[in-house]
Amino acid sequence: PPHNPKESSIGIFKTATDRLPLIKYVYNGLKAASPFVYSFFKRMAVSMEAVETMLKDKQLNADDSDETVACRWLRQHEEEWTPWIPRATECVAGQGLVAKNGSYVLSLLNASGCRWCTPGWYSVSSGITYICTPCAPGTSQGLPGQEVCVSCDGGRYSDGGAAERCKLCDIGFYQEKVGGSTCIACPGPMTTNYKAADSLA
């Protein structure tokens, strides 16, 4: 039978082809492009027992294609591969639970799927999935699918939730601190000469 002569010469006796093409497919953007498929592959684990079962099947049914043998194993061992399939509400980081109407929800009870968090929101783990939460006052987030909100710089503020960007303090107002939710009015006759002032000076 086909074998590897080099291995055979050093006492490794097994039947095999001299060359076996191994192909590895890699796509760094899979998680963002298709979180569902990413989660599936992350869970996928083919046991040695499953491999041996398919090899024995191929040995007994040599005329069957590899795909036919694999499909037969899938049909006969559903309990082994169904746990690989993620639930629609298993969100990944950067996403959050949504209801049927597309609005963000905080509970699995009201959820029908996942969606990327929009600008002004960020993704937080609830322990078993992720939810989208609005950025708190004093912070903002201008990009979708993020896991944090960014504090406003001095001279800027955000006074409401879910801010996509921080606002500039107007002339006559300033904000010294990072993460301000308001601007401070200049005292008495003093003022600022420009917007986004971070001090009275």
Side-chain angles (χ1 to χ4, degrees):
H3 65 283
N4 186 321
K6 192 173 184 179
E7 289 182 350
S8 182
S9 68
I10 57 172
I12 300 174
F13 303 108
K14 62 183 181 183
T15 57
T17 56
D18 283 318
R19 292 179 183 160
L20 177 66
L22 294 176
I23 301 170
K24 180 178 181 181
Y25 295 100
V26 177
Y27 175 47
N28 289 336
L30 181 62
K31 185 176 180 181
S34 182
F36 187 87
V37 174
Y38 172 83
S39 295
F40 175 83
F41 282 128
K42 195 172 177 184
R43 291 166 178 230
M44 187 177 175
V46 181
S47 67
M48 202 62 211
E49 184 182 349
V51 172
E52 288 172 0
T53 299
M54 286 184 269
L55 288 172
K56 287 176 185 175
D57 185 2
K58 178 67 176 176
Q59 189 176 27
L60 293 171
N61 302 284
D63 292 337
D64 289 350
S65 68
D66 295 344
E67 291 79 7
T68 300
V69 171
C71 285
R72 188 159 42 240
W73 181 86
L74 288 170
R75 285 194 300 269
Q76 295 170 354
H77 299 86
E78 192 171 326
E79 73 287 350
E80 289 194 43
W81 58 264
T82 49
W84 303 347
I85 302 171
R87 295 187 309 274
T89 54
E90 289 182 47
C91 308
V92 298
Q95 293 185 322
L97 295 171
V98 289
K100 287 182 181 178
N101 65 4
S103 62
Y104 295 126
V105 294
L106 303 177
S107 167
L108 284 167
L109 295 173
N110 305 318
S112 64
C114 300
R115 193 178 81 197
W116 293 107
C117 297
T118 56
W121 296 68
Y122 69 106
S123 180
V124 180
S125 173
S126 68
I128 52 174
T129 188
Y130 285 83
I131 57 172
C132 291
T133 304
C135 292
T139 67
S140 69
Q141 181 49 260
L143 299 172
Q146 300 301 302
E147 296 177 63
V148 293
C149 292
V150 181
S151 295
C152 298
D153 291 332
R156 299 168 186 265
Y157 72 102
S158 71
D159 53 358
E164 292 185 28
R165 64 185 59 84
C166 298
K167 303 171 189 174
L168 305 179
C169 292
D170 209 344
I171 293 176
F173 294 82
Y174 70 100
Q175 176 52 262
E176 295 176 311
K177 296 179 181 178
V178 171
S181 58
T182 60
C183 292
I184 303 164
C186 296
M190 299 179 74
T191 189
T192 55
N193 296 322
Y194 48 83
K195 291 186 175 183
D198 58 7
S199 70
L200 279 170

